[in-house]
Amino acid sequence: MNLLRSLKLKNRMILILGLMALVQTGLIGVFAVQYLHQSLEEQIGQRALHVAKTIAAMPQISEAVSQRNTAYLQPISMLLAKKTQARFVVIGDKQGIRLAHPSHEKIGFSMADDDGDDGGIALIEGEGYISKALGSLGWSMRGKAPIYALDQQEIIGVVSVGYHLDQVDGVINRYRLTLVAVIGLSFLLSAVIAVWFANHFKKAIFGLEPEQIAHLFDEQKATLETVREGIIAINCEGIITIFNRNAIKTLGLSENTQLTGRSIEDVLPESAMSEVLRTGQPQFDCEVWLHNDVYIVNRIPLQQGNQVTGVVSSFRRKDELDLVSKKLTRIRQYADNLRSQAHEYTNKLHTIAGLIQLDAKDEAMAFIGQENQEHQELIHLLLEAVPDPILAGFLLGKYNRAREVGLQLVIDPDSHMTELPDRLPREQLVSIIGNLIDNALEATLLHKGPGGQVNLSMTDLGNDLIFEVEDQGAGVSEIEEQQIFDKGFTSKTEAGHGIGLHLVKGLLKNLGGTITLEKGDEEGCRFIVYIPKSYT
């Protein structure tokens, strides 16, 4: 077995198919030779019996036997043996004593001396029969028939006709030679077929050996189990062929659940994998509700040529991705805050340094006090109106960002946002408000230039959280109002725009909120966001 495993696939297939051909051909050949041997013996036996009955029915033989005329029977038996190509023709009387025999010296002795059979069955029962025996003349097939008197009333003797089995052995030997030749040709043909099949098979499996395929299978299985996402693959009939344990865990199924061989519709009713299987179009980052949870799903078709042979789907609960997004959002906020503050305070330090160099100490002290007072007022407002640290830190960062580009972010001092629901995803909230503020800053800077301002007001009175962001931009036409939330729509010529407001609309849809657009008090636009407190 170890030797077999050490061989290449092609050599294994040649050896295995060759041995199979040898065994099959050998078994068939042995059966054929045995069957032929028995058939030939049976045919020779029937021929011997037929000749024996023919001789027994001759009147001359019957009369000579009744007269015990050995002088007549001896030469006629020799002549009949020659004519019928028999090995011998022996004639005996009703006691089984030889009256004719190829060996003259055996005449007068019992026929039982040859093979222990004196023709008693034929003499007693009057029926012919066939026997195979080793007599004085060697192995032979014998046919024995009773000789009746001329009146057909009395059995007076027996005729034994034998054919030597050397003829049978000669025929069998010729067939054996033919069989050996057939076995050799079968082995060669099997080797040729094995080479062709092995080449074709290895091409189909990319030239890999079975052990390499097994190793790759183990690697694939281990890889699937280490992936944190759930993975399910189906074939062209929608039957599950591959899955990992995280798929079981993510779907909330029992750990011992076996999905292989089951229809995807049974496991995930109305799964879009069937659609991908039909259209061949991949689907990326789709949000799907299942078992009261939101999943982020990717579906990719498997293709051979132009034919879709299956689909692989990976999925993960959205809250896990949201957790990662939340961490990234916080880091990003901190980075933006630090960058904005560093840039802002660098400019302020340069201003203070310049005033000191000009010996304007009073002005420098007033400037320092003013800056400190503005910052303290903002921090005091955020601490009282927005106790949530994530939202407060986010607004402080946007305030500094506005100062950095020469604008003002004015937060309504009457703002109040203390009743944020615990389950409200903070990363989604700051993404919504952040996109609106960024758009407002950009529109104001583009239309008004440095010195413009963006107003923000917040309230949590009532059943909704309400945020208003007002800019001093050029405003939005009635036609643009109908398209402003469409993905890719933008009034700017630079690439990379047209995503923010579409993202805001999508996030609000997940939170059950809405957004409206109206003209500002003086110019520009005012975006109003409503988020229900009852979000769960």
Side-chain angles (χ1 to χ4, degrees):
M1 184 61 68
N2 292 332
L3 178 61
L4 184 62
R5 291 180 178 176
S6 65
L7 298 176
K8 296 292 185 181
L9 178 61
K10 182 185 294 186
N11 296 331
R12 287 191 222 175
M13 297 187 74
I14 293 174
L15 181 60
I16 292 172
L17 290 179
L19 289 175
M20 287 180 61
L22 286 175
V23 172
Q24 290 178 349
T25 309
L27 290 175
I28 293 173
V30 170
F31 173 78
V33 168
Q34 288 296 112
Y35 181 78
L36 178 63
H37 193 278
Q38 293 178 2
S39 297
L40 288 175
E41 287 187 351
E42 185 177 351
Q43 290 179 13
I44 291 175
Q46 290 293 335
R47 182 180 179 185
L49 179 60
H50 178 72
V51 172
K53 288 182 176 181
T54 302
I55 293 174
M58 296 173 62
Q60 300 93 327
I61 298 298
S62 177
E63 184 178 355
V65 170
S66 63
Q67 297 175 1
R68 302 183 60 85
N69 188 355
T70 301
Y72 175 79
L73 292 174
Q74 178 67 11
I76 194 66
S77 66
M78 300 293 289
L79 178 61
L80 290 173
K82 184 176 181 181
K83 290 291 185 181
T84 58
Q85 298 182 341
R87 182 68 182 85
F88 60 84
V89 174
V90 177
I91 301 174
D93 60 16
K94 62 181 179 180
Q95 282 79 33
I97 303 302
R98 301 188 191 100
L99 299 177
H101 192 277
S103 298
H104 191 273
E105 62 275 8
K106 292 185 178 290
I107 296 174
F109 294 94
S110 174
M111 296 173 67
D113 295 342
D114 288 336
D115 55 7
D117 182 7
D118 60 357
I121 296 176
L123 292 172
I124 297 172
E125 299 180 4
E127 296 291 336
Y129 64 96
I130 300 171
S131 67
K132 178 181 178 182
L134 177 62
S136 60
L137 298 176
W139 282 100
S140 61
M141 290 298 298
R142 305 180 179 193
K144 297 189 177 185
I147 302 173
Y148 284 87
L150 294 177
D151 57 4
Q152 298 296 314
Q153 298 296 321
E154 182 185 0
I155 299 175
I156 61 174
V158 62
V159 176
S160 177
V161 177
Y163 284 88
H164 211 288
L165 291 181
D166 290 344
Q167 299 173 357
V168 176
D169 293 337
V171 173
I172 295 302
N173 288 334
R174 288 197 300 272
Y175 274 94
R176 284 198 180 100
L177 293 176
T178 304
L179 179 61
V180 171
V182 171
I183 291 176
L185 290 174
S186 298
F187 180 79
L188 292 177
L189 180 61
S190 298
V192 172
I193 294 175
V195 171
W196 172 83
F197 185 73
N199 290 333
H200 177 76
F201 187 72
K202 291 206 69 174
K203 183 178 179 181
I205 59 176
F206 306 102
L208 299 174
E209 294 293 325
E211 290 77 11
Q212 293 175 311
I213 296 175
H215 182 68
L216 289 175
F217 177 78
D218 290 337
E219 284 185 350
Q220 179 201 53
K221 187 176 180 181
T223 301
L224 285 175
E225 295 302 330
T226 56
V227 174
R228 294 191 62 185
E229 292 186 329
I231 296 178
I232 291 180
I234 62 174
N235 60 17
C236 59
E237 297 177 353
I239 304 301
I240 297 175
T241 56
I242 295 175
F243 69 97
N244 65 352
R245 286 292 140 195
N246 280 327
I248 299 294
K249 182 179 179 181
T250 303
L251 295 176
L253 301 176
S254 171
E255 292 185 0
N256 298 324
T257 302
Q258 290 296 326
L259 300 182
T260 304
R262 296 177 60 182
S263 172
I264 188 63
E265 295 295 335
D266 295 339
V267 180
L268 295 172
E270 300 180 1
S271 171
M273 293 179 72
S274 300
E275 179 184 348
V276 177
L277 189 64
R278 183 176 64 258
T279 63
Q281 298 298 320
Q283 299 176 357
F284 298 103
D285 298 330
C286 301
E287 292 192 9
V288 176
W289 279 91
L290 183 66
H291 305 320
N292 298 322
D293 286 315
V294 181
Y295 293 83
I296 302 299
V297 182
N298 294 290
R299 307 178 184 96
I300 301 176
L302 301 175
Q303 293 183 317
Q304 286 187 352
N306 296 324
Q307 184 178 3
V308 179
T309 58
V311 177
V312 175
S313 176
S314 63
F315 49 92
R316 193 170 185 176
R317 288 178 57 177
K318 188 174 184 297
D319 55 4
E320 295 182 13
L321 296 177
D322 288 343
L323 180 61
V324 177
S325 176
K326 186 175 182 179
K327 293 179 180 179
L328 292 175
T329 300
R330 288 179 178 175
I331 293 172
R332 196 169 153 193
Q333 290 171 5
Y334 296 150
D336 287 342
N337 291 343
L338 290 174
R339 181 168 55 84
S340 299
Q341 290 179 8
H343 186 77
E344 180 182 1
Y345 280 104
T346 297
N347 292 333
K348 292 177 180 179
L349 287 174
H350 288 164
T351 301
I352 294 171
L355 290 173
I356 292 174
Q357 289 176 0
L358 294 174
D359 201 23
K361 297 180 181 178
D362 294 336
E363 289 81 357
M365 292 299 295
F367 181 78
I368 293 172
Q370 178 186 359
E371 291 299 322
N372 184 55
Q373 182 180 358
E374 288 182 3
H375 230 76
Q376 288 299 322
E377 288 177 355
L378 176 63
I379 292 174
H380 181 72
L381 171 63
L382 292 177
L383 286 175
E384 288 193 357
V386 188
D388 186 87
I390 295 178
L391 183 57
F394 160 75
L395 293 176
L396 181 61
K398 289 301 179 184
Y399 173 83
N400 293 329
R401 175 62 178 164
R403 294 286 298 272
E404 182 182 343
V405 296
L407 301 175
Q408 277 189 310
L409 176 62
V410 178
I411 300 177
D412 188 347
D414 294 328
S415 294
H416 191 267
M417 190 59 60
T418 61
E419 298 183 9
L420 288 176
D422 293 337
R423 290 180 62 91
L424 179 65
R426 301 299 191 266
E427 67 278 1
Q428 295 187 23
L429 177 62
V430 298
S431 180
I432 293 170
I433 307 305
N435 274 286
L436 294 178
I437 293 176
D438 289 341
N439 284 347
L441 292 173
E442 189 173 351
T444 301
L445 186 63
L446 184 64
H447 181 68
K448 197 82 171 179
Q453 74 178 39
V454 172
N455 298 316
L456 171 65
S457 65
M458 303 170 287
T459 180
D460 56 5
L461 299 177
N463 298 323
D464 296 322
L465 308 176
I466 303 175
F467 298 85
E468 295 185 11
V469 179
E470 183 178 347
D471 62 49
Q472 292 181 340
V476 177
S477 66
E478 292 183 1
I479 297 177
E480 290 176 333
E481 283 187 28
Q482 305 298 322
Q483 302 175 314
I484 196 169
F485 294 105
D486 294 342
K487 185 177 182 179
F489 176 80
T490 179
S491 59
K492 305 176 183 65
T493 57
E494 298 88 352
H497 295 281
I499 301 297
L501 290 178
H502 175 74
L503 176 62
V504 168
K505 190 72 176 287
L507 291 173
L508 283 172
K509 183 178 180 182
N510 291 338
L511 299 177
T514 58
I515 183 171
T516 61
L517 170 64
E518 59 184 41
K519 292 183 179 179
D521 292 337
E522 298 179 2
E523 55 183 341
C525 300
R526 180 187 296 116
F527 288 90
I528 306 175
V529 171
Y530 301 89
I531 300 175
K533 294 180 180 179
S534 59
Y535 169 80
T536 56

